Amino acid sequence: MFQSKPRIPNETLANWQRIVDLISRLTDVPASLVMQTDAPDHSVFVTSRGPENPYEVGRKFTLNERLYCYGVLKNDGELVVEDATCDPVWADNDDMEHGMRFYVGYPLKWPDGDVFGTICVLDRRRNRKALMFRDGLMEFARVIEADLQLLSEIEERKRLEAALQTALDQMEQRVEERTADLEEANTALRVLLNNVEMSRDEYDAKVLGQIKGLVLPHLGKLRSRLKADAAASAYLEIIDENLRAISASMSNRLTTMFETLTPSEQEIAQLIIHGQTTKDIARTLSREPSTVEFHRNNIRKKLGLQRSGQNLRSMLRSMQ
């Protein structure tokens, strides 16, 4: 079902004008008309051009039983009146004002079944040519209805395109709003994470400062006093190593981790960070690959990566 009836464009009107003019010439009638119905009005929409045609475009009639076209619409089909003066039903019809006693007409409909109007021919005499041309007149009616079909399809396509564009615009608006919401949420999340990171770093730095400033100096003094006690010295070394391990795990700085490495391990760690393989490092440092591999294993052990499967270079880069 089409939502609305489209306007008839000038190009289509020009085609219909040629049709009614051709019908008038072929049937030798003074009037060939396309009528438009907008109840209760029935008006001349297109009229053939000729000096004997009394019907002008825009002339309106009120639909009633004394109007030929009313009979077409009532029958929903062909109406033929060969001589109204001999037919009591049509003897006093409105078109007799102009002496139009001969009539042939057919309904015109929109593709959804609604009435557009009629196509008809009228004459002041019984017209044999027009009677024989009835099939042709019906075909011209189909041509006009085909135009109405095309216009309706174009109108429907425009309506659907407009609806689709509206839906796309609404979807785009929702996407923009959703994107803005996500960006705002991401910004808030980044701020939160930064605050958490800063708080964690501040806490770690505070604890590290306390360990280095308040604990490690006293361990040094204890170490010098407990040299003679082997068992006490061993426990002291364990405490010292554990404190340094805790300090290393709490610091996110590569320099802090490097403090736990030997000079050779530091050198190799820097080359690993820059993407060099064991063979590359061996060539660079003029050492055996087995020696480089030994130091790599020690670095992994100090970072707690034994049997973890984690990439050593990735870990070192994450600590930068």
CSV table of all heavy atoms in Angstrom, one decimal, residues 211-263:
chain,number,residue,atom,x,y,z
A,211,ILE,N,63.4,1.2,53.9
A,211,ILE,CA,64.3,0.0,53.9
A,211,ILE,C,65.7,0.5,53.8
A,211,ILE,O,66.6,0.0,54.6
A,211,ILE,CB,63.9,-1.0,52.8
A,211,ILE,CG1,62.6,-1.6,53.2
A,211,ILE,CG2,65.0,-2.0,52.7
A,211,ILE,CD1,62.1,-2.5,52.1
A,212,LYS,N,66.0,1.3,52.8
A,212,LYS,CA,67.4,1.7,52.6
A,212,LYS,C,67.9,2.7,53.6
A,212,LYS,O,69.1,2.6,54.0
A,212,LYS,CB,67.5,2.4,51.2
A,212,LYS,CG,67.2,1.5,50.0
A,212,LYS,CD,67.3,2.2,48.7
A,212,LYS,CE,67.1,1.2,47.5
A,212,LYS,NZ,67.2,1.9,46.2
A,213,GLY,N,67.0,3.5,54.2
A,213,GLY,CA,67.4,4.5,55.1
A,213,GLY,C,67.4,4.0,56.6
A,213,GLY,O,68.3,4.4,57.4
A,214,LEU,N,66.5,3.1,56.9
A,214,LEU,CA,66.3,2.7,58.3
A,214,LEU,C,66.7,1.3,58.6
A,214,LEU,O,67.0,1.0,59.8
A,214,LEU,CB,64.8,2.9,58.7
A,214,LEU,CG,64.2,4.3,58.5
A,214,LEU,CD1,62.7,4.3,58.9
A,214,LEU,CD2,65.0,5.3,59.4
A,215,VAL,N,66.8,0.4,57.6
A,215,VAL,CA,67.1,-1.0,57.9
A,215,VAL,C,68.5,-1.3,57.4
A,215,VAL,O,69.4,-1.9,58.2
A,215,VAL,CB,66.1,-1.9,57.2
A,215,VAL,CG1,66.4,-3.3,57.5
A,215,VAL,CG2,64.7,-1.5,57.8
A,216,LEU,N,68.8,-1.1,56.1
A,216,LEU,CA,70.1,-1.6,55.5
A,216,LEU,C,71.3,-1.0,56.2
A,216,LEU,O,72.3,-1.7,56.4
A,216,LEU,CB,70.1,-1.2,54.0
A,216,LEU,CG,69.1,-2.0,53.2
A,216,LEU,CD1,69.3,-1.6,51.7
A,216,LEU,CD2,69.3,-3.5,53.3
A,217,PRO,N,71.3,0.3,56.6
A,217,PRO,CA,72.5,0.8,57.3
A,217,PRO,C,72.8,0.0,58.6
A,217,PRO,O,74.0,-0.3,59.0
A,217,PRO,CB,72.2,2.2,57.7
A,217,PRO,CG,71.2,2.6,56.6
A,217,PRO,CD,70.4,1.4,56.4
A,218,HIS,N,71.8,-0.4,59.3
A,218,HIS,CA,72.0,-1.2,60.6
A,218,HIS,C,72.4,-2.6,60.3
A,218,HIS,O,73.2,-3.2,61.1
A,218,HIS,CB,70.7,-1.2,61.4
A,218,HIS,CG,70.2,0.2,61.8
A,218,HIS,ND1,70.9,0.9,62.7
A,218,HIS,CD2,69.1,0.9,61.4
A,218,HIS,CE1,70.3,2.1,62.9
A,218,HIS,NE2,69.2,2.1,62.1
A,219,LEU,N,72.0,-3.1,59.1
A,219,LEU,CA,72.5,-4.5,58.8
A,219,LEU,C,74.0,-4.4,58.6
A,219,LEU,O,74.7,-5.4,58.9
A,219,LEU,CB,71.8,-5.0,57.5
A,219,LEU,CG,70.3,-5.4,57.7
A,219,LEU,CD1,69.8,-5.8,56.3
A,219,LEU,CD2,70.2,-6.5,58.7
A,220,GLY,N,74.5,-3.3,58.0
A,220,GLY,CA,75.9,-3.2,57.8
A,220,GLY,C,76.7,-3.2,59.1
A,220,GLY,O,77.8,-3.8,59.2
A,221,LYS,N,76.2,-2.5,60.1
A,221,LYS,CA,76.8,-2.5,61.4
A,221,LYS,C,76.8,-3.9,62.0
A,221,LYS,O,77.8,-4.3,62.7
A,221,LYS,CB,76.1,-1.4,62.3
A,221,LYS,CG,76.3,0.0,61.8
A,221,LYS,CD,75.5,1.0,62.7
A,221,LYS,CE,75.7,2.4,62.1
A,221,LYS,NZ,75.0,3.4,63.0
A,222,LEU,N,75.6,-4.5,61.9
A,222,LEU,CA,75.5,-5.9,62.5
A,222,LEU,C,76.5,-6.8,61.8
A,222,LEU,O,77.1,-7.7,62.5
A,222,LEU,CB,74.1,-6.4,62.3
A,222,LEU,CG,73.0,-5.8,63.3
A,222,LEU,CD1,71.7,-6.4,62.9
A,222,LEU,CD2,73.4,-6.2,64.7
A,223,ARG,N,76.7,-6.7,60.5
A,223,ARG,CA,77.6,-7.6,59.8
A,223,ARG,C,79.0,-7.5,60.3
A,223,ARG,O,79.7,-8.5,60.5
A,223,ARG,CB,77.5,-7.3,58.3
A,223,ARG,CG,78.4,-8.3,57.4
A,223,ARG,CD,78.2,-7.9,55.9
A,223,ARG,NE,76.9,-8.2,55.4
A,223,ARG,CZ,76.0,-7.2,55.1
A,223,ARG,NH1,76.4,-5.9,55.3
A,223,ARG,NH2,74.8,-7.5,54.7
A,224,SER,N,79.4,-6.2,60.6
A,224,SER,CA,80.8,-6.1,61.1
A,224,SER,C,81.0,-6.6,62.5
A,224,SER,O,82.1,-7.1,62.9
A,224,SER,CB,81.2,-4.6,61.1
A,224,SER,OG,80.3,-3.8,62.0
A,225,ARG,N,79.9,-6.7,63.3
A,225,ARG,CA,80.0,-7.1,64.7
A,225,ARG,C,79.8,-8.6,64.8
A,225,ARG,O,80.2,-9.2,65.8
A,225,ARG,CB,79.0,-6.4,65.6
A,225,ARG,CG,79.2,-4.9,65.7
A,225,ARG,CD,78.3,-4.3,66.7
A,225,ARG,NE,78.5,-2.9,66.9
A,225,ARG,CZ,77.9,-2.1,67.8
A,225,ARG,NH1,77.0,-2.7,68.6
A,225,ARG,NH2,78.2,-0.9,67.9
A,226,LEU,N,79.2,-9.2,63.8
A,226,LEU,CA,78.9,-10.7,63.8
A,226,LEU,C,79.8,-11.5,62.9
A,226,LEU,O,79.5,-12.6,62.6
A,226,LEU,CB,77.4,-10.9,63.5
A,226,LEU,CG,76.4,-10.3,64.4
A,226,LEU,CD1,75.0,-10.5,63.9
A,226,LEU,CD2,76.5,-10.8,65.8
A,227,LYS,N,81.0,-11.0,62.6
A,227,LYS,CA,81.9,-11.8,61.7
A,227,LYS,C,82.3,-13.1,62.3
A,227,LYS,O,82.5,-14.1,61.7
A,227,LYS,CB,83.1,-10.9,61.3
A,227,LYS,CG,82.8,-9.8,60.4
A,227,LYS,CD,84.1,-9.0,60.1
A,227,LYS,CE,83.8,-7.9,59.1
A,227,LYS,NZ,85.1,-7.1,58.8
A,228,ALA,N,82.5,-13.0,63.6
A,228,ALA,CA,83.0,-14.2,64.3
A,228,ALA,C,81.9,-15.3,64.4
A,228,ALA,O,82.2,-16.5,64.7
A,228,ALA,CB,83.5,-13.9,65.7
A,229,ASP,N,80.6,-14.9,64.3
A,229,ASP,CA,79.5,-15.9,64.5
A,229,ASP,C,79.0,-16.3,63.1
A,229,ASP,O,78.3,-15.5,62.5
A,229,ASP,CB,78.4,-15.2,65.3
A,229,ASP,CG,77.3,-16.3,65.7
A,229,ASP,OD1,77.2,-17.3,65.0
A,229,ASP,OD2,76.6,-16.0,66.7
A,230,ALA,N,79.5,-17.5,62.7
A,230,ALA,CA,79.1,-17.9,61.3
A,230,ALA,C,77.6,-18.1,61.1
A,230,ALA,O,77.1,-17.7,60.1
A,230,ALA,CB,79.9,-19.2,61.0
A,231,ALA,N,77.0,-18.6,62.1
A,231,ALA,CA,75.5,-18.9,61.9
A,231,ALA,C,74.8,-17.6,61.9
A,231,ALA,O,73.9,-17.4,61.0
A,231,ALA,CB,75.0,-19.7,63.1
A,232,ALA,N,75.2,-16.6,62.8
A,232,ALA,CA,74.5,-15.3,62.8
A,232,ALA,C,74.7,-14.6,61.5
A,232,ALA,O,73.8,-13.9,60.9
A,232,ALA,CB,74.9,-14.5,64.0
A,233,SER,N,76.0,-14.7,61.0
A,233,SER,CA,76.3,-14.0,59.7
A,233,SER,C,75.5,-14.6,58.5
A,233,SER,O,75.0,-13.8,57.6
A,233,SER,CB,77.8,-14.2,59.4
A,233,SER,OG,78.6,-13.5,60.4
A,234,ALA,N,75.3,-15.9,58.6
A,234,ALA,CA,74.5,-16.5,57.5
A,234,ALA,C,73.0,-16.0,57.5
A,234,ALA,O,72.5,-15.7,56.5
A,234,ALA,CB,74.5,-18.1,57.7
A,235,TYR,N,72.5,-16.0,58.7
A,235,TYR,CA,71.1,-15.4,58.8
A,235,TYR,C,71.0,-14.0,58.4
A,235,TYR,O,70.1,-13.5,57.8
A,235,TYR,CB,70.6,-15.6,60.2
A,235,TYR,CG,70.1,-17.0,60.6
A,235,TYR,CD1,70.8,-17.7,61.6
A,235,TYR,CD2,69.1,-17.6,59.9
A,235,TYR,CE1,70.4,-19.0,61.9
A,235,TYR,CE2,68.7,-18.9,60.2
A,235,TYR,CZ,69.3,-19.6,61.2
A,235,TYR,OH,68.9,-20.9,61.5
A,236,LEU,N,72.1,-13.2,58.7
A,236,LEU,CA,72.1,-11.8,58.4
A,236,LEU,C,72.2,-11.7,56.8
A,236,LEU,O,71.5,-10.8,56.3
A,236,LEU,CB,73.4,-11.2,59.0
A,236,LEU,CG,73.4,-9.6,58.9
A,236,LEU,CD1,72.2,-9.0,59.6
A,236,LEU,CD2,74.7,-9.1,59.6
A,237,GLU,N,72.9,-12.5,56.2
A,237,GLU,CA,73.0,-12.5,54.7
A,237,GLU,C,71.6,-12.8,54.1
A,237,GLU,O,71.2,-12.2,53.1
A,237,GLU,CB,74.1,-13.4,54.2
A,237,GLU,CG,75.5,-13.0,54.5
A,237,GLU,CD,75.8,-11.7,53.8
A,237,GLU,OE1,75.3,-11.4,52.7
A,237,GLU,OE2,76.5,-10.9,54.5
A,238,ILE,N,70.9,-13.8,54.7
A,238,ILE,CA,69.6,-14.1,54.2
A,238,ILE,C,68.7,-12.9,54.3
A,238,ILE,O,67.9,-12.6,53.4
A,238,ILE,CB,69.0,-15.3,54.9
A,238,ILE,CG1,69.9,-16.6,54.6
A,238,ILE,CG2,67.6,-15.5,54.6
A,238,ILE,CD1,69.5,-17.8,55.4
A,239,ILE,N,68.7,-12.3,55.5
A,239,ILE,CA,67.9,-11.1,55.7
A,239,ILE,C,68.2,-10.0,54.7
A,239,ILE,O,67.3,-9.4,54.1
A,239,ILE,CB,68.0,-10.6,57.1
A,239,ILE,CG1,67.5,-11.6,58.1
A,239,ILE,CG2,67.3,-9.2,57.3
A,239,ILE,CD1,67.8,-11.2,59.6
A,240,ASP,N,69.5,-9.8,54.5
A,240,ASP,CA,70.0,-8.7,53.5
A,240,ASP,C,69.5,-9.0,52.1
A,240,ASP,O,69.0,-8.2,51.4
A,240,ASP,CB,71.5,-8.6,53.6
A,240,ASP,CG,72.0,-7.5,52.7
A,240,ASP,OD1,71.6,-6.3,52.9
A,240,ASP,OD2,72.7,-7.8,51.7
A,241,GLU,N,69.6,-10.3,51.7
A,241,GLU,CA,69.2,-10.7,50.3
A,241,GLU,C,67.7,-10.5,50.2
A,241,GLU,O,67.2,-10.1,49.1
A,241,GLU,CB,69.6,-12.1,50.0
A,241,GLU,CG,71.1,-12.2,49.8
A,241,GLU,CD,71.5,-13.7,49.5
A,241,GLU,OE1,70.6,-14.5,49.4
A,241,GLU,OE2,72.8,-13.9,49.5
A,242,ASN,N,66.9,-10.9,51.2
A,242,ASN,CA,65.5,-10.9,51.1
A,242,ASN,C,65.0,-9.4,51.0
A,242,ASN,O,64.1,-9.1,50.3
A,242,ASN,CB,64.8,-11.6,52.3
A,242,ASN,CG,64.9,-13.1,52.2
A,242,ASN,OD1,65.2,-13.6,51.1
A,242,ASN,ND2,64.8,-13.8,53.3
A,243,LEU,N,65.6,-8.6,51.8
A,243,LEU,CA,65.3,-7.2,51.8
A,243,LEU,C,65.5,-6.5,50.4
A,243,LEU,O,64.8,-5.7,49.9
A,243,LEU,CB,66.0,-6.4,52.9
A,243,LEU,CG,65.5,-6.6,54.3
A,243,LEU,CD1,66.4,-5.9,55.3
A,243,LEU,CD2,64.0,-6.0,54.4
A,244,ARG,N,66.7,-6.9,49.9
A,244,ARG,CA,67.0,-6.4,48.6
A,244,ARG,C,66.1,-6.9,47.5
A,244,ARG,O,65.7,-6.2,46.5
A,244,ARG,CB,68.5,-6.7,48.2
A,244,ARG,CG,69.5,-5.9,49.1
A,244,ARG,CD,70.9,-6.2,48.7
A,244,ARG,NE,71.8,-5.5,49.6
A,244,ARG,CZ,72.1,-4.3,49.6
A,244,ARG,NH1,71.6,-3.5,48.6
A,244,ARG,NH2,73.0,-3.7,50.4
A,245,ALA,N,65.7,-8.2,47.6
A,245,ALA,CA,64.7,-8.8,46.7
A,245,ALA,C,63.4,-8.0,46.8
A,245,ALA,O,62.7,-7.7,45.7
A,245,ALA,CB,64.5,-10.3,46.9
A,246,ILE,N,62.9,-7.8,48.0
A,246,ILE,CA,61.7,-7.0,48.2
A,246,ILE,C,61.8,-5.6,47.6
A,246,ILE,O,60.9,-5.2,46.9
A,246,ILE,CB,61.3,-6.9,49.7
A,246,ILE,CG1,61.0,-8.3,50.2
A,246,ILE,CG2,60.2,-6.0,49.9
A,246,ILE,CD1,60.8,-8.3,51.7
A,247,SER,N,62.9,-5.0,47.8
A,247,SER,CA,63.1,-3.7,47.2
A,247,SER,C,63.1,-3.7,45.7
A,247,SER,O,62.5,-2.8,45.0
A,247,SER,CB,64.5,-3.1,47.7
A,247,SER,OG,64.5,-3.0,49.1
A,248,ALA,N,63.7,-4.7,45.1
A,248,ALA,CA,63.7,-4.8,43.6
A,248,ALA,C,62.3,-5.1,43.1
A,248,ALA,O,61.9,-4.5,42.1
A,248,ALA,CB,64.7,-6.0,43.2
A,249,SER,N,61.5,-5.9,43.8
A,249,SER,CA,60.2,-6.2,43.3
A,249,SER,C,59.2,-5.0,43.4
A,249,SER,O,58.3,-4.8,42.6
A,249,SER,CB,59.6,-7.4,44.0
A,249,SER,OG,59.4,-7.0,45.4
A,250,MET,N,59.5,-4.1,44.4
A,250,MET,CA,58.7,-2.9,44.6
A,250,MET,C,59.0,-1.8,43.6
A,250,MET,O,58.2,-0.9,43.4
A,250,MET,CB,58.7,-2.5,46.0
A,250,MET,CG,58.2,-3.5,47.0
A,250,MET,SD,58.3,-2.9,48.7
A,250,MET,CE,57.1,-1.5,48.6
A,251,SER,N,60.2,-1.8,43.1
A,251,SER,CA,60.7,-0.7,42.2
A,251,SER,C,60.4,-1.0,40.8
A,251,SER,O,60.5,-2.1,40.3
A,251,SER,CB,62.2,-0.5,42.4
A,251,SER,OG,62.6,0.5,41.5
A,252,ASN,N,59.9,0.0,40.0
A,252,ASN,CA,59.6,-0.2,38.6
A,252,ASN,C,60.6,0.4,37.7
A,252,ASN,O,60.4,0.6,36.6
A,252,ASN,CB,58.2,0.3,38.2
A,252,ASN,CG,58.1,1.8,38.4
A,252,ASN,OD1,59.0,2.4,39.0
A,252,ASN,ND2,57.1,2.4,38.0
A,253,ARG,N,61.8,0.7,38.3
A,253,ARG,CA,62.8,1.3,37.5
A,253,ARG,C,63.9,0.3,37.2
A,253,ARG,O,64.3,-0.5,38.0
A,253,ARG,CB,63.5,2.5,38.3
A,253,ARG,CG,62.5,3.6,38.6
A,253,ARG,CD,63.2,4.7,39.4
A,253,ARG,NE,62.2,5.8,39.7
A,253,ARG,CZ,61.9,6.8,38.8
A,253,ARG,NH1,62.5,6.8,37.6
A,253,ARG,NH2,61.0,7.7,39.2
A,254,LEU,N,64.3,0.4,35.9
A,254,LEU,CA,65.4,-0.5,35.4
A,254,LEU,C,66.7,-0.3,36.2
A,254,LEU,O,67.4,-1.3,36.4
A,254,LEU,CB,65.6,-0.3,33.9
A,254,LEU,CG,66.4,-1.3,33.2
A,254,LEU,CD1,65.8,-2.7,33.3
A,254,LEU,CD2,66.6,-0.9,31.7
A,255,THR,N,67.0,0.9,36.5
A,255,THR,CA,68.2,1.2,37.2
A,255,THR,C,68.3,0.4,38.6
A,255,THR,O,69.4,0.0,39.0
A,255,THR,CB,68.4,2.7,37.5
A,255,THR,OG1,67.3,3.2,38.1
A,255,THR,CG2,68.6,3.4,36.1
A,256,THR,N,67.1,0.3,39.3
A,256,THR,CA,67.1,-0.4,40.5
A,256,THR,C,67.4,-1.8,40.3
A,256,THR,O,68.1,-2.5,41.1
A,256,THR,CB,65.7,-0.2,41.2
A,256,THR,OG1,65.5,1.2,41.4
A,256,THR,CG2,65.7,-0.9,42.5
A,257,MET,N,66.8,-2.4,39.3
A,257,MET,CA,67.1,-3.8,39.0
A,257,MET,C,68.5,-4.1,38.6
A,257,MET,O,69.2,-5.1,39.0
A,257,MET,CB,66.2,-4.3,37.8
A,257,MET,CG,66.2,-5.8,37.5
A,257,MET,SD,67.6,-6.3,36.5
A,257,MET,CE,67.2,-5.4,35.0
A,258,PHE,N,69.1,-3.1,37.9
A,258,PHE,CA,70.5,-3.2,37.5
A,258,PHE,C,71.5,-3.3,38.7
A,258,PHE,O,72.6,-3.8,38.5
A,258,PHE,CB,70.9,-2.1,36.5
A,258,PHE,CG,70.7,-2.4,35.1
A,258,PHE,CD1,69.6,-3.1,34.7
A,258,PHE,CD2,71.6,-2.0,34.1
A,258,PHE,CE1,69.4,-3.4,33.3
A,258,PHE,CE2,71.5,-2.3,32.8
A,258,PHE,CZ,70.3,-3.0,32.4
A,259,GLU,N,71.0,-2.7,39.8
A,259,GLU,CA,71.9,-2.8,41.0
A,259,GLU,C,72.1,-4.2,41.4
A,259,GLU,O,73.1,-4.5,42.1
A,259,GLU,CB,71.3,-2.0,42.1
A,259,GLU,CG,71.2,-0.5,41.8
A,259,GLU,CD,70.5,0.3,42.9
A,259,GLU,OE1,70.0,-0.4,43.9
A,259,GLU,OE2,70.4,1.5,42.9
A,260,THR,N,71.2,-5.1,41.1
A,260,THR,CA,71.4,-6.5,41.5
A,260,THR,C,72.2,-7.3,40.5
A,260,THR,O,72.5,-8.5,40.8
A,260,THR,CB,70.0,-7.2,41.6
A,260,THR,OG1,69.4,-7.3,40.3
A,260,THR,CG2,69.1,-6.4,42.5
A,261,LEU,N,72.6,-6.7,39.3
A,261,LEU,CA,73.3,-7.4,38.3
A,261,LEU,C,74.8,-7.1,38.4
A,261,LEU,O,75.2,-6.1,38.8
A,261,LEU,CB,72.8,-7.1,36.9
A,261,LEU,CG,71.3,-7.3,36.7
A,261,LEU,CD1,71.0,-6.9,35.2
A,261,LEU,CD2,70.9,-8.7,36.9
A,262,THR,N,75.6,-8.1,37.9
A,262,THR,CA,77.1,-7.9,37.8
A,262,THR,C,77.3,-7.0,36.6
A,262,THR,O,76.4,-6.8,35.7
A,262,THR,CB,77.8,-9.2,37.6
A,262,THR,OG1,77.4,-9.8,36.3
A,262,THR,CG2,77.5,-10.2,38.7
A,263,PRO,N,78.5,-6.4,36.4
A,263,PRO,CA,78.8,-5.6,35.3
A,263,PRO,C,78.5,-6.3,34.0
A,263,PRO,O,78.0,-5.7,33.0
A,263,PRO,CB,80.2,-5.2,35.5
A,263,PRO,CG,80.4,-5.2,37.0
A,263,PRO,CD,79.6,-6.3,37.5
